[in-house]
Amino acid sequence: MSSRAERLRDEILILEYRSGDKRALERLVSRWQPRVYRYVLAMLQEENAAWDVSQDVWLAAVTGLDKVKPVQNFPAWLCRVAHNTAISYLRKKGRLNQRETTLPDVDKQPDNPGRDPVCKAEDASLVHECLRRIPVAQRSTLILFYVEDLSLEEISQVLEVPRGTVQSRLHHGRQKMKIFLSEKGYCHE
C-alpha cells in the first residue's frame, strides 16, 4: 500500500497527535482525506453523500485514533472505518444490495478496445458504470485492491474476512468486470 517512509510519517503524526499536537491531526487528515473520499465515492456512487459520509469517517477516526494499535496498522484501520461507515450509510438508505442508477460526473476519454479490461482501463466513466453493477462485497474488494493498493492481507483486515474470501471476491469481481466491459465492446480476447 504505502511506502515505508509514508507509513513512518503517519506513525509520527499519530504519536504527535496523541501527545497533544492538534496540527498533526490536520496534517494526517489532509494526507488521507482524498483517499477516504475516493473510496467512499466509489462505494456510494453519489458525490454529495460521499462528502457527508467522509466527514462521518473522520469523526469516527478522530474518536478512535487513540485506539489504533499498533500504529503501523493505521492505513488498514482507516480503510476499515471508511468501509464500515459507507456500508452503514448504504444499509440505512436501503441500498446495500441494490445497483446504482446514476454515476458521478467523470470526464470521458476516447474508447480504445485494445486495452486490458481491468488493469489498464482509462475510461473512468465506463469503469464506474461497471463497478456499480457489481455487488458491494466484490466492489469494495476491487476498489481496495486496485485503487487503494492494499495487500490481500490488509483487505482481509479491513473487510474482516479470510484471505481466501478476498481472493474469491477479487476473482469473481474481475470476471464480472470483464463481462460488463465486453458487453460494451471494450475487451479483447
Side-chain angles (χ1 to χ4, degrees), residues 60-100:
V62 169
T63 302
L65 201 52
D66 289 333
K67 300 172 189 163
V68 180
K69 294 179 185 173
V71 177
Q72 297 93 340
N73 288 341
F74 175 74
W77 176 81
L78 183 60
C79 285
R80 179 74 191 148
V81 172
H83 177 78
N84 285 345
T85 308
I87 293 296
S88 293
Y89 175 84
L90 290 171
R91 187 175 293 121
K92 185 173 111 180
K93 295 294 182 181
R95 294 180 17 209
L96 188 56
N97 294 317
Q98 291 181 346
R99 294 181 179 159
E100 298 299 318

Side-chain angles (χ1 to χ4, degrees), residues 44-154:
L44 304 182
Q45 298 289 313
E46 187 181 326
E47 289 182 26
N48 290 333
W51 281 115
D52 293 341
V53 171
S54 292
Q55 295 304 310
D56 293 341
V57 168
W58 284 109
L59 288 172
V62 169
T63 302
L65 201 52
D66 289 333
K67 300 172 189 163
V68 180
K69 294 179 185 173
V71 177
Q72 297 93 340
N73 288 341
F74 175 74
W77 176 81
L78 183 60
C79 285
R80 179 74 191 148
V81 172
H83 177 78
N84 285 345
T85 308
I87 293 296
S88 293
Y89 175 84
L90 290 171
R91 187 175 293 121
K92 185 173 111 180
K93 295 294 182 181
R95 294 180 17 209
L96 188 56
N97 294 317
Q98 291 181 346
R99 294 181 179 159
E100 298 299 318
T101 58
T102 60
L103 295 172
D105 293 326
V106 180
D107 293 332
K108 285 194 170 190
Q109 295 179 3
D111 287 341
N112 182 351
R115 292 178 286 198
D116 179 71
V118 176
C119 297
K120 298 178 184 174
E122 294 177 13
D123 187 342
S125 63
L126 180 59
V127 171
H128 281 285
E129 181 180 346
C130 292
L131 276 173
R132 73 179 164 89
R133 295 175 64 190
I134 293 176
V136 171
Q138 292 169 0
R139 180 189 324 160
S140 62
T141 305
L142 287 170
I143 294 165
L144 291 169
F145 188 77
Y146 286 106
V147 178
E148 298 306 324
D149 199 27
L150 293 177
S151 69
L152 295 176
E153 192 59 41
E154 289 171 318

